[in-house]
Amino acid sequence: MALPYDLILLASIVFAVTFSLTYLLTLTLVKTLPKRGSVVEDYHKPERPKVAWPGGPAILSSIIIVEAILYLIYGDLRILSIALVTMIAGIIGLIDDRWRLSNGMIKPLLLILASLPILLLETYVPYPEFPIFGHVRLTTVYPLLVLLAVPIVSNATNMIDVLNGALSGFIVIATIPLVFALMLKGAYNMMVATLPLIASSIAFYIFHRYPSKIFPGDSGSLALGATFCSIAIVGRVEIVAIISILPAILNSFFILSSIKGFIEHRSIKTRPTILLPDGQLVASKDPSAPTTLVRMILADGPLSEREVVSNIFKLSAFSAFLAVITALVIWCV
Amino acid sequence: MNSRILPLMGIIGLAWALVFLGFYIIFGLIVPFEPFPENDYIFAFLNSLFKVVLSAILALTWIMIMIGLRNLYIKRKLSA
């Protein structure tokens, strides 16, 4: 399929502007946050270095600014929904970063608020497109699923944010199938609206990768998850998104089912991994330790943090590949 | 390819295949299934209820399979 020249130009500008904004804002935060004492320890290194935190404001402000500009260009309420969902989830994340919401249930409940722009602006279509069967009418259930989806996906991305660069890299890989699916559908407005998520994640990854200079905090992880989810819903690529984000969904599902309920991750007493003196990570053999994706990757023996993150990316790439196949089955078969 | 992530890829691949199979069972078998004649509201309601219950059972089965796979993986790899 040939893309129009104007679209390629707009997409390139959107990508470049978001990338530059996130890069510059993150660079500023890396320099200013430590001076204000806003740092946290990196628990996965023997020397426990202090790392600037939270970097979320750089991510969410650049995504919101570019999505707002795109809304002014296209006048498409779906793009406004993405900006509003990102903003609300980011604010909830900032509240959590600042005041530490101690009850594990509060954050998912607050995140329901982030779903509201999609429902109030009526930017959802309750006819999701399934493989083989095409459109399926879910008029009663779909709004309820929208309310649940944002908290579930945001928490899933929050839970995968455990090692240097894991979250930002994962979001980049998981979002590529969405761009592919939207292109396949010919939903070019939405395809362009997806680019800020990728561009912002790549720019942030430069500082977030091993050894991290900044952590996104909940403001970053919740905003990235909420943006991803809102694109999936308003872009009508829900099934592709579910498959693409399977590693994060399975990770949070395995954690929640092993600790039996919603508990704030900071309050989990038994750690799933143990840091060895040489800096390598090893899986905890304590039966009460939560089952996380990282613990499962480490089950065969110790690995460095970089190697674990590389394995997470390989699993994400595999899921992204399955998501691309799913998109082809939905829109080409 | 790193052999340590192959089983995890297997779990993700199986989860994907089961999602596809689940869609087929729900939309290909459960949705068209009308055990009661739809000639009055009670029977129509019972038909819908029946479909919701069957779909919920299917979703629970998916969850149980995933938990079973996780337990098997942890038992084989991490048992002390």
Side-chain angles (χ1 to χ4, degrees):
Chain A
M1 91 199 65
L3 294 175
Y5 172 76
D6 290 356
L7 183 74
I8 295 171
L9 184 67
L10 179 64
S12 308
I13 292 170
V14 164
F15 193 93
V17 170
T18 320
F19 181 91
S20 309
L21 263 177
T22 308
Y23 186 89
L24 292 172
L25 288 171
T26 310
L27 185 65
T28 310
L29 287 176
V30 168
K31 287 178 181 170
T32 56
L33 286 174
K35 287 177 191 164
R36 293 171 47 198
S38 194
V39 288
V40 285
E41 280 187 3
D42 186 345
Y43 286 104
H44 294 117
K45 294 181 184 61
E47 63 276 19
R48 294 201 168 190
K50 303 272 191 199
V51 178
W53 163 95
I59 299 170
L60 70 101
S61 52
S62 36
I63 292 177
I64 291 167
I65 289 168
V66 178
E67 296 290 0
I69 294 169
L70 281 173
Y71 169 64
L72 294 176
I73 294 171
Y74 286 125
D76 188 335
L77 279 177
R78 294 176 300 172
I79 298 174
L80 183 63
S81 297
I82 296 170
L84 291 174
V85 169
T86 307
M87 188 175 75
I88 297 171
I91 290 170
I92 292 164
L94 278 172
I95 292 169
D96 191 35
D97 287 337
R98 178 70 182 81
W99 288 287
R100 299 283 190 201
L101 302 171
S102 53
N103 186 326
M105 274 309 288
I106 291 178
K107 215 165 24 180
L109 288 175
L110 280 176
L111 281 166
I112 290 176
L113 295 174
S115 324
L116 293 180
I118 299 172
L119 295 178
L120 296 176
L121 293 172
E122 294 184 13
T123 46
Y124 65 96
V125 179
Y127 296 88
E129 293 173 271
F130 285 88
I132 304 158
F133 297 96
H135 304 271
V136 174
R137 189 174 65 93
L138 292 175
T139 42
T140 312
V141 180
Y142 198 86
L144 297 172
L145 294 177
V146 171
L147 282 178
L148 292 175
V150 175
I152 289 173
V153 175
S154 303
N155 272 299
T157 52
N158 181 232
M159 284 176 168
I160 212 155
D161 178 30
V162 285
L163 297 174
N164 291 187
L167 171 72
S168 44
F170 173 76
I171 289 290
V172 173
I173 298 168
T175 311
I176 290 169
L178 300 197
V179 176
F180 175 77
L182 290 163
M183 212 156 70
L184 212 60
K185 284 179 65 167
Y188 297 126
N189 288 9
M190 290 310 304
M191 189 198 82
V192 173
T194 309
L195 295 178
L197 178 60
I198 298 182
S200 187
S201 302
I202 293 174
F204 192 79
Y205 177 77
I206 295 169
F207 300 95
H208 189 211
R209 70 186 166 182
Y210 184 93
S212 284
K213 294 183 181 70
I214 193 165
F215 288 153
D218 282 4
S219 49
S221 59
L222 296 182
L224 286 174
T227 312
F228 181 90
C229 185
S230 60
I231 290 167
I233 294 167
V234 302
R236 303 185 65 200
V237 287
E238 304 93 333
I239 308 303
V240 174
I242 290 170
I243 304 301
S244 193
I245 207 166
L246 257 181
I249 297 280
L250 286 174
N251 177 52
S252 60
F253 170 68
F254 287 155
I255 294 172
L256 294 175
S257 60
S258 59
I259 59 175
K260 296 184 174 57
F262 282 96
I263 297 172
E264 174 57 24
H265 64 87
R266 285 178 285 259
S267 65
I268 297 170
K269 296 282 179 275
T270 320
R271 296 192 71 84
T273 58
I274 297 161
L275 180 66
L276 298 174
D278 63 357
Q280 288 204 314
L281 293 164
V282 66
S284 167
K285 290 200 172 183
D286 187 335
S288 65
T291 307
T292 66
L293 189 62
V294 172
R295 187 175 174 224
M296 291 171 92
I297 289 170
L298 289 168
D300 272 336
L303 284 179
S304 70
E305 187 178 357
R306 259 180 162 156
E307 289 169 323
V308 177
V309 174
S310 160
N311 281 321
I312 291 174
F313 289 168
K314 284 175 193 164
L315 290 174
S316 311
F318 178 63
S319 250
F321 169 71
L322 295 178
V324 166
I325 293 176
T326 308
L328 289 169
V329 172
I330 294 174
W331 290 289
C332 291
V333 175
Chain B
M1 180 59 70
N2 184 350
S3 66
R4 80 163 66 207
I5 60 165
L6 283 177
L8 293 171
M9 280 183 172
I11 291 176
I12 290 172
L14 187 68
W16 174 72
L18 288 175
V19 166
F20 260 69
L21 182 68
F23 288 152
Y24 172 74
I25 295 173
I26 290 173
F27 299 116
L29 302 176
I30 295 176
V31 170
F33 188 49
E34 305 277 338
F36 306 105
E38 282 221 25
N39 51 9
D40 78 35
Y41 288 118
I42 294 171
F43 283 148
F45 173 75
L46 284 175
N47 272 334
S48 302
L49 186 69
F50 191 70
K51 290 172 192 179
V52 168
V53 170
L54 281 181
S55 302
I57 290 170
L58 198 68
L60 274 175
T61 310
W62 187 88
I63 288 171
M64 297 314 291
I65 291 171
M66 286 297 117
I67 290 176
L69 281 173
R70 180 205 67 190
N71 291 344
L72 183 71
Y73 186 89
I74 292 294
K75 197 176 168 185
R76 286 187 62 168
K77 302 260 183 184
L78 281 175
S79 53

